Amino acid sequence: MDVLKDKIELILPAKAEYVSVARLAVSGIASRMGMDIETIEDIKVAVSEVCSRLVDETIGTVPDYKAVFEVCPQSLSITIFSDNKKAEHVFGDVEDELVIPIIEALMDHTELTPSNGAIITMTKAIEGIRRDGE
Amino acid sequence: MSSEIKIIEEFSGETVSVAISGEIDIYTAPTLKEKLYALADNKKDMLIDCNDLGYIDSTGLGIFVGALKKTKLHGKSIKLVNLKDNIRKLFIITGLDKLFLID
């Protein structure tokens, strides 16, 4: 377990037009950590996939959801909470079943329905950090 | 809001060229779906230029697959060109690079 350095919380309305805001936020945080463009793109897609499910009307409406970004020296972890929803509810009936494989392929560690009541925790490790601090 | 999409189509013989610019996510997906499905019904091969497409996720990939199914019903194909690395990566991860013609 990496040491927590900074924690950022973002609460967004469960509306499609704000999913891009989640992407912008995580993009800014990952960039601040010195991650390279390819890594940032991976994280953006993973976050966006979860948010997209939460604003999808077919899984029921919630007023908002929370994304918690934990900045650590060796990694960035993103945990998504929404009204005590569990992963199987959010991802259970995805028609194309592309979402979880995409997230797992793009992130280094993924935990569905972790013990803290969240839907998912996704972690990207330090490999994508720029070494020269440019 | 940065999440916008622009779709420009051009008909030429048996092919319709479609240039997509912007970002395809759950917000912009309905616009893409309506346009692309309508174009797929033209019974022409489709050439999709992704040069100015900056972002796509599974919502957009699903629409591409839906459009491909429609074109194949008419014996036509979809070819994707000028994919950015992050977008090409998603096609590979999902195995969709084997379904579409990608240049």
Side-chain angles (χ1 to χ4, degrees), chain A residues 24-93:
Chain A
L24 278 172
V26 76
S27 176
I29 293 164
S31 177
R32 166 62 54 195
M33 291 174 71
M35 290 184 171
D36 59 40
I37 297 288
E38 188 186 345
T39 307
I40 293 171
E41 288 299 329
D42 288 351
I43 300 171
K44 275 169 65 181
V45 173
V47 168
S48 196
E49 291 291 352
V50 181
C51 297
S52 296
R53 294 303 302 155
L54 289 171
V55 304
D56 188 334
E57 291 170 1
T58 60
I59 64 158
T61 51
V62 287
D64 52 37
Y65 60 93
K66 181 166 78 172
V68 178
F69 307 96
E70 293 180 308
V71 178
C72 302
Q74 303 297 318
S75 64
L76 170 63
S77 284
I78 302 116
T79 303
I80 313 281
F81 295 84
S82 179
D83 195 26
N84 294 321
K85 274 195 165 45
K86 290 182 167 38
E88 55 265 35
H89 180 222
V90 178
F91 303 112
D93 56 352

Side-chain angles (χ1 to χ4, degrees), chain A residues 23 41-42 48-49 52, chain B residues 23 25 55 57-58 86 89:
Chain A
R23 286 202 300 276
E41 288 299 329
D42 288 351
S48 196
E49 291 291 352
S52 296
Chain B
E23 300 189 338
D25 71 356
Y55 178 86
D57 58 26
S58 66
N86 57 314
K89 184 175 182 176

